[in-house]
């Protein structure tokens, strides 16, 4: 993969992109307390769940998603806690 685009900072549930794309990576930082975030193939949280990340308080993690093919777009859901998230896609 030559390059990718970024969602920019996500701090609430949001549609990242619609249509076919590749999910490259997910970067999550829990702010102040533990956080759980989910990423779906779709336009809302009823699509296929492709990632669920549980991050301990005041820590961060990166998930390399290896270009997972997303058929309907990328939807980000902040399930619990307060997180700062960046999703990279192509």
């Amino acid at each position: 993969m030559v390059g990718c685009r970024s969602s920019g900072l996500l701090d609430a549930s949001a549609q990242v992109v619609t249509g076919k794309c590749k999910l490259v990576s997910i970067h999550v930082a829990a702010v102040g307390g533990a956080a759980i975030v989910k990423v779906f193939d779709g336009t809302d949280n009823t699509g296929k769940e492709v990632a669920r990340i549980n991050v301990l308080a005041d820590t961060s993690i990166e998930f390399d998603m290896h270009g997972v093919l997303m058929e309907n777009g990328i939807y980000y859901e902040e399930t619990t806690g307060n997180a700062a998230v960046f999703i990279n896609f192509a």
Side-chain angles (χ1 to χ4, degrees), residues 31-77:
V31 181
I36 298 174
V37 302
K38 298 176 184 178
V39 176
F40 296 87
D41 179 351
T43 57
D44 59 26
N45 65 357
T46 63
K48 178 171 61 173
E49 185 176 339
V50 296
R52 183 180 300 198
I53 304 169
N54 185 1
V55 183
L56 298 175
D58 300 316
T59 61
S60 61
I61 191 168
E62 175 190 357
F63 267 42
D64 183 351
M65 297 299 292
H66 303 285
V68 169
L69 297 174
M70 306 293 273
E71 292 294 323
N72 302 300
I74 300 172
Y75 183 80
Y76 163 71
E77 180 181 65

Side-chain angles (χ1 to χ4, degrees), residues 17-23 67-74 89-90:
V17 65
T18 57
K20 291 184 179 185
C21 63
K22 291 182 179 181
L23 178 56
V68 169
L69 297 174
M70 306 293 273
E71 292 294 323
N72 302 300
I74 300 172
F89 60 96

